[in-house]
Amino acid sequence: MLAIGQLHTLTIDRDTPPGLFLKDDSGKKENEILLPNKYKPEHFELEDEIEVFVYLDHDERPVATNLKPYVKLDEFAYLRCVEVNNIGAFLDWGLEKHLFVPFKEQAYPMKEGHWYLIFCYLDEATERLVASSKVNHFLDNEELSIEPFEEVRLIVTNKTDLGFNVIVNELHQGLIYHDEIFQELKTGDQLKGWVKKTRKENKIDIGLQRPGYRSIEPNAQAILNELELQNGFLPLHDKSSPEEIQSHLEMSKKSFKRAIGTLYKQKLISIEDKGIRLTES
């Protein structure tokens, strides 16, 4: 049987009253699947290839759709709850049949209209795709696959007294400390970051700017971009407060000073009493 919860590129084998039957390269009968008429392309020919998502329909039968879900098997996503009833909650994941969240998999009781960070997995007992908002259960820091200074993909999970917990490369849990944050963060945000260091028990410290000298180039470019947007002048200099710099550029004062030093040495800006100016201006 074709893997549930994944995208597949299949070949149109035959057109039938219920819809198109698709097949894979194996030619095995058990790997055929129906693409119902409501998802049938307007124009097609037999032996055309088509990308589809495979899941279970309302009758618990494997079926294909050309709609693209917001989350696939073994992925995290930030989804809206559209219904809560006596068996659990249901999330909008872009398909006709909503994604089920059992009560036991809800970190907190879900409410209709609210958004939740979830992990999509295959329930082995029912072979159905289900979701869990207990996302930490699907992260593992026993063996780390990352190293200091490495660029990583992040998903923000929740705010704590120390900072924001994040999912690192959809594998590990990490932390961004409050004094490392110079932009607004909220649950579900996806962004890139860098591993600052790993600590005891494989705890991971994450930064949103390249560590050390590596942060100079992107910050310098960000300042140039902002200067161009502001007609070549910014009312910021090395005497500006950290709050002013954060408000304008979403970076620390230390990073700002390094960046304008680089731009000045490259003769791209001039430093005036009231701010910095593009030399082209």
PDB file of all heavy atoms in Angstrom, residues 68-104:
ATOM      1  N   LYS A  68      -3.059  20.296  -1.423  1.00  0.00           N
ATOM      2  CA  LYS A  68      -1.810  20.239  -0.657  1.00  0.00           C
ATOM      3  C   LYS A  68      -2.111  20.503   0.823  1.00  0.00           C
ATOM      4  O   LYS A  68      -2.575  21.588   1.189  1.00  0.00           O
ATOM      5  CB  LYS A  68      -0.814  21.272  -1.176  1.00  0.00           C
ATOM      6  CG  LYS A  68      -0.367  21.029  -2.621  1.00  0.00           C
ATOM      7  CD  LYS A  68       0.383  19.716  -2.750  1.00  0.00           C
ATOM      8  CE  LYS A  68       0.984  19.555  -4.154  1.00  0.00           C
ATOM      9  NZ  LYS A  68      -0.024  19.365  -5.205  1.00  0.00           N
ATOM     10  N   PRO A  69      -1.860  19.518   1.686  1.00  0.00           N
ATOM     11  CA  PRO A  69      -2.129  19.722   3.121  1.00  0.00           C
ATOM     12  C   PRO A  69      -1.127  20.688   3.737  1.00  0.00           C
ATOM     13  O   PRO A  69      -0.017  20.867   3.225  1.00  0.00           O
ATOM     14  CB  PRO A  69      -1.962  18.309   3.688  1.00  0.00           C
ATOM     15  CG  PRO A  69      -0.952  17.671   2.794  1.00  0.00           C
ATOM     16  CD  PRO A  69      -1.253  18.207   1.410  1.00  0.00           C
ATOM     17  N   TYR A  70      -1.531  21.301   4.850  1.00  0.00           N
ATOM     18  CA  TYR A  70      -0.631  22.218   5.559  1.00  0.00           C
ATOM     19  C   TYR A  70       0.441  21.466   6.341  1.00  0.00           C
ATOM     20  O   TYR A  70       1.431  22.069   6.769  1.00  0.00           O
ATOM     21  CB  TYR A  70      -1.422  23.090   6.533  1.00  0.00           C
ATOM     22  CG  TYR A  70      -2.546  23.883   5.900  1.00  0.00           C
ATOM     23  CD1 TYR A  70      -3.715  24.145   6.603  1.00  0.00           C
ATOM     24  CD2 TYR A  70      -2.442  24.373   4.600  1.00  0.00           C
ATOM     25  CE1 TYR A  70      -4.759  24.865   6.028  1.00  0.00           C
ATOM     26  CE2 TYR A  70      -3.472  25.092   4.018  1.00  0.00           C
ATOM     27  CZ  TYR A  70      -4.626  25.330   4.747  1.00  0.00           C
ATOM     28  OH  TYR A  70      -5.657  26.041   4.168  1.00  0.00           O
ATOM     29  N   VAL A  71       0.236  20.173   6.556  1.00  0.00           N
ATOM     30  CA  VAL A  71       1.212  19.360   7.282  1.00  0.00           C
ATOM     31  C   VAL A  71       1.149  17.945   6.728  1.00  0.00           C
ATOM     32  O   VAL A  71       0.092  17.479   6.305  1.00  0.00           O
ATOM     33  CB  VAL A  71       0.933  19.376   8.810  1.00  0.00           C
ATOM     34  CG1 VAL A  71      -0.399  18.708   9.139  1.00  0.00           C
ATOM     35  CG2 VAL A  71       2.058  18.709   9.596  1.00  0.00           C
ATOM     36  N   LYS A  72       2.303  17.265   6.725  1.00  0.00           N
ATOM     37  CA  LYS A  72       2.365  15.873   6.287  1.00  0.00           C
ATOM     38  C   LYS A  72       2.848  15.008   7.451  1.00  0.00           C
ATOM     39  O   LYS A  72       3.142  15.516   8.550  1.00  0.00           O
ATOM     40  CB  LYS A  72       3.303  15.735   5.091  1.00  0.00           C
ATOM     41  CG  LYS A  72       2.896  16.580   3.881  1.00  0.00           C
ATOM     42  CD  LYS A  72       3.706  16.264   2.642  1.00  0.00           C
ATOM     43  CE  LYS A  72       5.160  16.648   2.775  1.00  0.00           C
ATOM     44  NZ  LYS A  72       5.362  18.094   2.910  1.00  0.00           N
ATOM     45  N   LEU A  73       2.926  13.719   7.211  1.00  0.00           N
ATOM     46  CA  LEU A  73       3.361  12.778   8.240  1.00  0.00           C
ATOM     47  C   LEU A  73       4.725  13.173   8.808  1.00  0.00           C
ATOM     48  O   LEU A  73       5.649  13.514   8.067  1.00  0.00           O
ATOM     49  CB  LEU A  73       3.438  11.369   7.635  1.00  0.00           C
ATOM     50  CG  LEU A  73       3.936  10.252   8.561  1.00  0.00           C
ATOM     51  CD1 LEU A  73       2.955   9.994   9.683  1.00  0.00           C
ATOM     52  CD2 LEU A  73       4.180   8.982   7.753  1.00  0.00           C
ATOM     53  N   ASP A  74       4.816  13.122  10.147  1.00  0.00           N
ATOM     54  CA  ASP A  74       6.067  13.391  10.873  1.00  0.00           C
ATOM     55  C   ASP A  74       6.551  14.826  10.680  1.00  0.00           C
ATOM     56  O   ASP A  74       7.753  15.093  10.629  1.00  0.00           O
ATOM     57  CB  ASP A  74       7.168  12.407  10.475  1.00  0.00           C
ATOM     58  CG  ASP A  74       6.853  10.981  10.885  1.00  0.00           C
ATOM     59  OD1 ASP A  74       6.093  10.796  11.860  1.00  0.00           O
ATOM     60  OD2 ASP A  74       7.364  10.046  10.233  1.00  0.00           O
ATOM     61  N   GLU A  75       5.615  15.762  10.578  1.00  0.00           N
ATOM     62  CA  GLU A  75       5.952  17.178  10.489  1.00  0.00           C
ATOM     63  C   GLU A  75       5.215  17.965  11.562  1.00  0.00           C
ATOM     64  O   GLU A  75       4.190  17.532  12.082  1.00  0.00           O
ATOM     65  CB  GLU A  75       5.574  17.749   9.113  1.00  0.00           C
ATOM     66  CG  GLU A  75       6.424  17.258   7.969  1.00  0.00           C
ATOM     67  CD  GLU A  75       6.052  17.904   6.651  1.00  0.00           C
ATOM     68  OE1 GLU A  75       5.009  18.584   6.572  1.00  0.00           O
ATOM     69  OE2 GLU A  75       6.805  17.723   5.675  1.00  0.00           O
ATOM     70  N   PHE A  76       5.767  19.152  11.882  1.00  0.00           N
ATOM     71  CA  PHE A  76       5.126  20.089  12.796  1.00  0.00           C
ATOM     72  C   PHE A  76       4.407  21.164  11.979  1.00  0.00           C
ATOM     73  O   PHE A  76       4.826  21.516  10.881  1.00  0.00           O
ATOM     74  CB  PHE A  76       6.162  20.766  13.695  1.00  0.00           C
ATOM     75  CG  PHE A  76       6.895  19.820  14.608  1.00  0.00           C
ATOM     76  CD1 PHE A  76       8.068  19.203  14.188  1.00  0.00           C
ATOM     77  CD2 PHE A  76       6.422  19.544  15.886  1.00  0.00           C
ATOM     78  CE1 PHE A  76       8.755  18.336  15.027  1.00  0.00           C
ATOM     79  CE2 PHE A  76       7.092  18.678  16.726  1.00  0.00           C
ATOM     80  CZ  PHE A  76       8.266  18.070  16.289  1.00  0.00           C
ATOM     81  N   ALA A  77       3.325  21.704  12.543  1.00  0.00           N
ATOM     82  CA  ALA A  77       2.605  22.787  11.879  1.00  0.00           C
ATOM     83  C   ALA A  77       1.780  23.549  12.906  1.00  0.00           C
ATOM     84  O   ALA A  77       1.481  23.037  13.996  1.00  0.00           O
ATOM     85  CB  ALA A  77       1.696  22.256  10.768  1.00  0.00           C
ATOM     86  N   TYR A  78       1.414  24.769  12.561  1.00  0.00           N
ATOM     87  CA  TYR A  78       0.600  25.636  13.412  1.00  0.00           C
ATOM     88  C   TYR A  78      -0.777  25.721  12.764  1.00  0.00           C
ATOM     89  O   TYR A  78      -0.940  26.351  11.712  1.00  0.00           O
ATOM     90  CB  TYR A  78       1.264  27.013  13.507  1.00  0.00           C
ATOM     91  CG  TYR A  78       0.729  27.918  14.586  1.00  0.00           C
ATOM     92  CD1 TYR A  78       0.640  27.492  15.912  1.00  0.00           C
ATOM     93  CD2 TYR A  78       0.349  29.227  14.288  1.00  0.00           C
ATOM     94  CE1 TYR A  78       0.182  28.343  16.909  1.00  0.00           C
ATOM     95  CE2 TYR A  78      -0.115  30.085  15.285  1.00  0.00           C
ATOM     96  CZ  TYR A  78      -0.191  29.630  16.584  1.00  0.00           C
ATOM     97  OH  TYR A  78      -0.649  30.471  17.569  1.00  0.00           O
ATOM     98  N   LEU A  79      -1.776  25.071  13.373  1.00  0.00           N
ATOM     99  CA  LEU A  79      -3.082  24.900  12.736  1.00  0.00           C
ATOM    100  C   LEU A  79      -4.210  25.419  13.620  1.00  0.00           C
ATOM    101  O   LEU A  79      -4.079  25.485  14.842  1.00  0.00           O
ATOM    102  CB  LEU A  79      -3.323  23.414  12.431  1.00  0.00           C
ATOM    103  CG  LEU A  79      -2.291  22.714  11.540  1.00  0.00           C
ATOM    104  CD1 LEU A  79      -2.668  21.254  11.358  1.00  0.00           C
ATOM    105  CD2 LEU A  79      -2.174  23.412  10.186  1.00  0.00           C
ATOM    106  N   ARG A  80      -5.330  25.733  12.961  1.00  0.00           N
ATOM    107  CA  ARG A  80      -6.510  26.265  13.670  1.00  0.00           C
ATOM    108  C   ARG A  80      -7.491  25.149  13.992  1.00  0.00           C
ATOM    109  O   ARG A  80      -7.790  24.299  13.150  1.00  0.00           O
ATOM    110  CB  ARG A  80      -7.192  27.325  12.798  1.00  0.00           C
ATOM    111  CG  ARG A  80      -8.393  28.010  13.453  1.00  0.00           C
ATOM    112  CD  ARG A  80      -8.882  29.165  12.590  1.00  0.00           C
ATOM    113  NE  ARG A  80      -9.326  28.715  11.274  1.00  0.00           N
ATOM    114  CZ  ARG A  80     -10.578  28.347  11.000  1.00  0.00           C
ATOM    115  NH1 ARG A  80     -11.508  28.392  11.956  1.00  0.00           N
ATOM    116  NH2 ARG A  80     -10.914  27.953   9.802  1.00  0.00           N
ATOM    117  N   CYS A  81      -7.988  25.169  15.225  1.00  0.00           N
ATOM    118  CA  CYS A  81      -9.010  24.205  15.652  1.00  0.00           C
ATOM    119  C   CYS A  81     -10.369  24.666  15.118  1.00  0.00           C
ATOM    120  O   CYS A  81     -10.779  25.807  15.342  1.00  0.00           O
ATOM    121  CB  CYS A  81      -9.036  24.103  17.175  1.00  0.00           C
ATOM    122  SG  CYS A  81     -10.313  22.992  17.817  1.00  0.00           S
ATOM    123  N   VAL A  82     -11.060  23.765  14.416  1.00  0.00           N
ATOM    124  CA  VAL A  82     -12.343  24.132  13.818  1.00  0.00           C
ATOM    125  C   VAL A  82     -13.528  23.442  14.494  1.00  0.00           C
ATOM    126  O   VAL A  82     -14.683  23.805  14.257  1.00  0.00           O
ATOM    127  CB  VAL A  82     -12.365  23.812  12.305  1.00  0.00           C
ATOM    128  CG1 VAL A  82     -11.390  24.709  11.569  1.00  0.00           C
ATOM    129  CG2 VAL A  82     -12.041  22.341  12.048  1.00  0.00           C
ATOM    130  N   GLU A  83     -13.243  22.457  15.351  1.00  0.00           N
ATOM    131  CA  GLU A  83     -14.341  21.762  16.024  1.00  0.00           C
ATOM    132  C   GLU A  83     -13.809  21.010  17.237  1.00  0.00           C
ATOM    133  O   GLU A  83     -12.704  20.469  17.220  1.00  0.00           O
ATOM    134  CB  GLU A  83     -15.012  20.762  15.072  1.00  0.00           C
ATOM    135  CG  GLU A  83     -16.187  20.006  15.687  1.00  0.00           C
ATOM    136  CD  GLU A  83     -16.763  18.946  14.769  1.00  0.00           C
ATOM    137  OE1 GLU A  83     -16.329  18.848  13.600  1.00  0.00           O
ATOM    138  OE2 GLU A  83     -17.635  18.174  15.232  1.00  0.00           O
ATOM    139  N   VAL A  84     -14.614  20.994  18.291  1.00  0.00           N
ATOM    140  CA  VAL A  84     -14.341  20.150  19.462  1.00  0.00           C
ATOM    141  C   VAL A  84     -15.634  19.418  19.794  1.00  0.00           C
ATOM    142  O   VAL A  84     -16.701  20.038  19.888  1.00  0.00           O
ATOM    143  CB  VAL A  84     -13.882  20.980  20.681  1.00  0.00           C
ATOM    144  CG1 VAL A  84     -13.656  20.063  21.885  1.00  0.00           C
ATOM    145  CG2 VAL A  84     -12.612  21.771  20.368  1.00  0.00           C
ATOM    146  N   ASN A  85     -15.548  18.097  19.926  1.00  0.00           N
ATOM    147  CA  ASN A  85     -16.738  17.327  20.302  1.00  0.00           C
ATOM    148  C   ASN A  85     -16.394  16.325  21.385  1.00  0.00           C
ATOM    149  O   ASN A  85     -15.358  16.461  22.055  1.00  0.00           O
ATOM    150  CB  ASN A  85     -17.375  16.660  19.074  1.00  0.00           C
ATOM    151  CG  ASN A  85     -16.440  15.694  18.381  1.00  0.00           C
ATOM    152  OD1 ASN A  85     -15.527  15.135  19.001  1.00  0.00           O
ATOM    153  ND2 ASN A  85     -16.647  15.482  17.092  1.00  0.00           N
ATOM    154  N   ASN A  86     -17.227  15.305  21.571  1.00  0.00           N
ATOM    155  CA  ASN A  86     -17.033  14.390  22.692  1.00  0.00           C
ATOM    156  C   ASN A  86     -15.922  13.366  22.481  1.00  0.00           C
ATOM    157  O   ASN A  86     -15.618  12.586  23.381  1.00  0.00           O
ATOM    158  CB  ASN A  86     -18.348  13.649  23.005  1.00  0.00           C
ATOM    159  CG  ASN A  86     -18.841  12.828  21.824  1.00  0.00           C
ATOM    160  OD1 ASN A  86     -18.355  12.985  20.712  1.00  0.00           O
ATOM    161  ND2 ASN A  86     -19.793  11.951  22.075  1.00  0.00           N
ATOM    162  N   ILE A  87     -15.278  13.354  21.310  1.00  0.00           N
ATOM    163  CA  ILE A  87     -14.177  12.413  21.101  1.00  0.00           C
ATOM    164  C   ILE A  87     -12.826  13.109  20.958  1.00  0.00           C
ATOM    165  O   ILE A  87     -11.780  12.466  21.016  1.00  0.00           O
ATOM    166  CB  ILE A  87     -14.431  11.507  19.876  1.00  0.00           C
ATOM    167  CG1 ILE A  87     -14.510  12.336  18.593  1.00  0.00           C
ATOM    168  CG2 ILE A  87     -15.693  10.682  20.060  1.00  0.00           C
ATOM    169  CD1 ILE A  87     -14.531  11.499  17.331  1.00  0.00           C
ATOM    170  N   GLY A  88     -12.836  14.423  20.759  1.00  0.00           N
ATOM    171  CA  GLY A  88     -11.583  15.145  20.619  1.00  0.00           C
ATOM    172  C   GLY A  88     -11.754  16.434  19.838  1.00  0.00           C
ATOM    173  O   GLY A  88     -12.862  16.966  19.725  1.00  0.00           O
ATOM    174  N   ALA A  89     -10.646  16.914  19.297  1.00  0.00           N
ATOM    175  CA  ALA A  89     -10.656  18.163  18.532  1.00  0.00           C
ATOM    176  C   ALA A  89     -10.289  17.882  17.081  1.00  0.00           C
ATOM    177  O   ALA A  89      -9.678  16.859  16.760  1.00  0.00           O
ATOM    178  CB  ALA A  89      -9.671  19.155  19.145  1.00  0.00           C
ATOM    179  N   PHE A  90     -10.644  18.827  16.200  1.00  0.00           N
ATOM    180  CA  PHE A  90     -10.375  18.675  14.779  1.00  0.00           C
ATOM    181  C   PHE A  90      -9.756  19.973  14.254  1.00  0.00           C
ATOM    182  O   PHE A  90     -10.222  21.064  14.572  1.00  0.00           O
ATOM    183  CB  PHE A  90     -11.649  18.335  14.016  1.00  0.00           C
ATOM    184  CG  PHE A  90     -12.219  16.992  14.381  1.00  0.00           C
ATOM    185  CD1 PHE A  90     -13.039  16.856  15.498  1.00  0.00           C
ATOM    186  CD2 PHE A  90     -11.906  15.864  13.640  1.00  0.00           C
ATOM    187  CE1 PHE A  90     -13.556  15.611  15.852  1.00  0.00           C
ATOM    188  CE2 PHE A  90     -12.418  14.620  13.983  1.00  0.00           C
ATOM    189  CZ  PHE A  90     -13.241  14.489  15.086  1.00  0.00           C
ATOM    190  N   LEU A  91      -8.705  19.806  13.443  1.00  0.00           N
ATOM    191  CA  LEU A  91      -7.941  20.941  12.948  1.00  0.00           C
ATOM    192  C   LEU A  91      -8.085  21.078  11.441  1.00  0.00           C
ATOM    193  O   LEU A  91      -8.199  20.081  10.715  1.00  0.00           O
ATOM    194  CB  LEU A  91      -6.451  20.766  13.285  1.00  0.00           C
ATOM    195  CG  LEU A  91      -6.097  20.454  14.742  1.00  0.00           C
ATOM    196  CD1 LEU A  91      -4.592  20.227  14.864  1.00  0.00           C
ATOM    197  CD2 LEU A  91      -6.551  21.569  15.670  1.00  0.00           C
ATOM    198  N   ASP A  92      -8.055  22.315  10.976  1.00  0.00           N
ATOM    199  CA  ASP A  92      -8.049  22.587   9.545  1.00  0.00           C
ATOM    200  C   ASP A  92      -6.625  22.419   9.033  1.00  0.00           C
ATOM    201  O   ASP A  92      -5.730  23.159   9.402  1.00  0.00           O
ATOM    202  CB  ASP A  92      -8.541  24.014   9.291  1.00  0.00           C
ATOM    203  CG  ASP A  92      -8.459  24.400   7.815  1.00  0.00           C
ATOM    204  OD1 ASP A  92      -8.270  23.503   6.970  1.00  0.00           O
ATOM    205  OD2 ASP A  92      -8.582  25.609   7.524  1.00  0.00           O
ATOM    206  N   TRP A  93      -6.427  21.421   8.156  1.00  0.00           N
ATOM    207  CA  TRP A  93      -5.094  21.198   7.581  1.00  0.00           C
ATOM    208  C   TRP A  93      -5.134  21.257   6.060  1.00  0.00           C
ATOM    209  O   TRP A  93      -4.267  20.734   5.372  1.00  0.00           O
ATOM    210  CB  TRP A  93      -4.490  19.884   8.082  1.00  0.00           C
ATOM    211  CG  TRP A  93      -5.238  18.620   7.709  1.00  0.00           C
ATOM    212  CD1 TRP A  93      -6.581  18.447   7.635  1.00  0.00           C
ATOM    213  CD2 TRP A  93      -4.660  17.356   7.387  1.00  0.00           C
ATOM    214  NE1 TRP A  93      -6.883  17.160   7.282  1.00  0.00           N
ATOM    215  CE2 TRP A  93      -5.725  16.454   7.138  1.00  0.00           C
ATOM    216  CE3 TRP A  93      -3.366  16.876   7.303  1.00  0.00           C
ATOM    217  CZ2 TRP A  93      -5.525  15.131   6.789  1.00  0.00           C
ATOM    218  CZ3 TRP A  93      -3.164  15.546   6.964  1.00  0.00           C
ATOM    219  CH2 TRP A  93      -4.223  14.691   6.709  1.00  0.00           C
ATOM    220  N   GLY A  94      -6.170  21.925   5.546  1.00  0.00           N
ATOM    221  CA  GLY A  94      -6.245  22.180   4.129  1.00  0.00           C
ATOM    222  C   GLY A  94      -6.962  21.128   3.314  1.00  0.00           C
ATOM    223  O   GLY A  94      -7.086  21.262   2.099  1.00  0.00           O
ATOM    224  N   LEU A  95      -7.475  20.076   3.971  1.00  0.00           N
ATOM    225  CA  LEU A  95      -8.191  19.013   3.276  1.00  0.00           C
ATOM    226  C   LEU A  95      -9.645  18.987   3.730  1.00  0.00           C
ATOM    227  O   LEU A  95     -10.009  19.569   4.758  1.00  0.00           O
ATOM    228  CB  LEU A  95      -7.539  17.660   3.540  1.00  0.00           C
ATOM    229  CG  LEU A  95      -6.060  17.524   3.174  1.00  0.00           C
ATOM    230  CD1 LEU A  95      -5.577  16.096   3.406  1.00  0.00           C
ATOM    231  CD2 LEU A  95      -5.787  17.951   1.740  1.00  0.00           C
ATOM    232  N   GLU A  96     -10.466  18.278   2.964  1.00  0.00           N
ATOM    233  CA  GLU A  96     -11.897  18.215   3.270  1.00  0.00           C
ATOM    234  C   GLU A  96     -12.149  17.563   4.623  1.00  0.00           C
ATOM    235  O   GLU A  96     -12.982  18.021   5.406  1.00  0.00           O
ATOM    236  CB  GLU A  96     -12.611  17.432   2.165  1.00  0.00           C
ATOM    237  CG  GLU A  96     -14.108  17.311   2.371  1.00  0.00           C
ATOM    238  CD  GLU A  96     -14.771  16.509   1.271  1.00  0.00           C
ATOM    239  OE1 GLU A  96     -14.101  16.199   0.273  1.00  0.00           O
ATOM    240  OE2 GLU A  96     -15.967  16.180   1.418  1.00  0.00           O
ATOM    241  N   LYS A  97     -11.438  16.473   4.902  1.00  0.00           N
ATOM    242  CA  LYS A  97     -11.564  15.795   6.193  1.00  0.00           C
ATOM    243  C   LYS A  97     -10.564  16.417   7.161  1.00  0.00           C
ATOM    244  O   LYS A  97      -9.369  16.467   6.890  1.00  0.00           O
ATOM    245  CB  LYS A  97     -11.286  14.304   6.033  1.00  0.00           C
ATOM    246  CG  LYS A  97     -11.387  13.515   7.328  1.00  0.00           C
ATOM    247  CD  LYS A  97     -10.969  12.055   7.118  1.00  0.00           C
ATOM    248  CE  LYS A  97     -11.007  11.283   8.420  1.00  0.00           C
ATOM    249  NZ  LYS A  97     -10.531   9.891   8.249  1.00  0.00           N
ATOM    250  N   HIS A  98     -11.042  16.898   8.312  1.00  0.00           N
ATOM    251  CA  HIS A  98     -10.176  17.582   9.264  1.00  0.00           C
ATOM    252  C   HIS A  98      -9.262  16.607   9.992  1.00  0.00           C
ATOM    253  O   HIS A  98      -9.535  15.406  10.070  1.00  0.00           O
ATOM    254  CB  HIS A  98     -11.023  18.375  10.259  1.00  0.00           C
ATOM    255  CG  HIS A  98     -11.808  19.468   9.627  1.00  0.00           C
ATOM    256  ND1 HIS A  98     -13.105  19.748   9.961  1.00  0.00           N
ATOM    257  CD2 HIS A  98     -11.479  20.349   8.647  1.00  0.00           C
ATOM    258  CE1 HIS A  98     -13.550  20.757   9.239  1.00  0.00           C
ATOM    259  NE2 HIS A  98     -12.590  21.138   8.431  1.00  0.00           N
ATOM    260  N   LEU A  99      -8.172  17.149  10.532  1.00  0.00           N
ATOM    261  CA  LEU A  99      -7.162  16.349  11.239  1.00  0.00           C
ATOM    262  C   LEU A  99      -7.569  16.190  12.700  1.00  0.00           C
ATOM    263  O   LEU A  99      -7.787  17.174  13.408  1.00  0.00           O
ATOM    264  CB  LEU A  99      -5.792  17.028  11.130  1.00  0.00           C
ATOM    265  CG  LEU A  99      -4.591  16.292  11.713  1.00  0.00           C
ATOM    266  CD1 LEU A  99      -4.384  14.939  11.025  1.00  0.00           C
ATOM    267  CD2 LEU A  99      -3.337  17.153  11.572  1.00  0.00           C
ATOM    268  N   PHE A 100      -7.623  14.954  13.169  1.00  0.00           N
ATOM    269  CA  PHE A 100      -8.128  14.615  14.495  1.00  0.00           C
ATOM    270  C   PHE A 100      -7.041  14.721  15.555  1.00  0.00           C
ATOM    271  O   PHE A 100      -5.901  14.291  15.349  1.00  0.00           O
ATOM    272  CB  PHE A 100      -8.687  13.188  14.459  1.00  0.00           C
ATOM    273  CG  PHE A 100      -9.191  12.677  15.782  1.00  0.00           C
ATOM    274  CD1 PHE A 100     -10.128  13.380  16.517  1.00  0.00           C
ATOM    275  CD2 PHE A 100      -8.729  11.457  16.282  1.00  0.00           C
ATOM    276  CE1 PHE A 100     -10.598  12.893  17.731  1.00  0.00           C
ATOM    277  CE2 PHE A 100      -9.201  10.959  17.487  1.00  0.00           C
ATOM    278  CZ  PHE A 100     -10.138  11.679  18.220  1.00  0.00           C
ATOM    279  N   VAL A 101      -7.402  15.297  16.722  1.00  0.00           N
ATOM    280  CA  VAL A 101      -6.512  15.360  17.889  1.00  0.00           C
ATOM    281  C   VAL A 101      -7.233  14.720  19.073  1.00  0.00           C
ATOM    282  O   VAL A 101      -8.170  15.314  19.621  1.00  0.00           O
ATOM    283  CB  VAL A 101      -6.130  16.809  18.255  1.00  0.00           C
ATOM    284  CG1 VAL A 101      -5.033  16.799  19.323  1.00  0.00           C
ATOM    285  CG2 VAL A 101      -5.692  17.598  17.034  1.00  0.00           C
ATOM    286  N   PRO A 102      -6.844  13.508  19.483  1.00  0.00           N
ATOM    287  CA  PRO A 102      -7.496  12.883  20.640  1.00  0.00           C
ATOM    288  C   PRO A 102      -7.288  13.726  21.901  1.00  0.00           C
ATOM    289  O   PRO A 102      -6.314  14.478  22.011  1.00  0.00           O
ATOM    290  CB  PRO A 102      -6.764  11.535  20.768  1.00  0.00           C
ATOM    291  CG  PRO A 102      -6.098  11.314  19.447  1.00  0.00           C
ATOM    292  CD  PRO A 102      -5.778  12.672  18.907  1.00  0.00           C
ATOM    293  N   PHE A 103      -8.196  13.597  22.849  1.00  0.00           N
ATOM    294  CA  PHE A 103      -8.056  14.348  24.102  1.00  0.00           C
ATOM    295  C   PHE A 103      -6.719  14.058  24.780  1.00  0.00           C
ATOM    296  O   PHE A 103      -6.074  14.959  25.322  1.00  0.00           O
ATOM    297  CB  PHE A 103      -9.201  13.997  25.061  1.00  0.00           C
ATOM    298  CG  PHE A 103     -10.517  14.620  24.688  1.00  0.00           C
ATOM    299  CD1 PHE A 103     -11.621  13.824  24.420  1.00  0.00           C
ATOM    300  CD2 PHE A 103     -10.663  15.993  24.596  1.00  0.00           C
ATOM    301  CE1 PHE A 103     -12.833  14.394  24.079  1.00  0.00           C
ATOM    302  CE2 PHE A 103     -11.877  16.576  24.250  1.00  0.00           C
ATOM    303  CZ  PHE A 103     -12.970  15.770  23.985  1.00  0.00           C
ATOM    304  N   LYS A 104      -6.281  12.810  24.747  1.00  0.00           N
ATOM    305  CA  LYS A 104      -5.037  12.433  25.436  1.00  0.00           C
ATOM    306  C   LYS A 104      -3.807  13.057  24.798  1.00  0.00           C
ATOM    307  O   LYS A 104      -2.731  13.082  25.403  1.00  0.00           O
ATOM    308  CB  LYS A 104      -4.887  10.911  25.466  1.00  0.00           C
ATOM    309  CG  LYS A 104      -4.680  10.277  24.107  1.00  0.00           C
ATOM    310  CD  LYS A 104      -4.492   8.774  24.216  1.00  0.00           C
ATOM    311  CE  LYS A 104      -4.238   8.158  22.847  1.00  0.00           C
ATOM    312  NZ  LYS A 104      -4.017   6.697  22.923  1.00  0.00           N
TER     313      LYS A 104
END
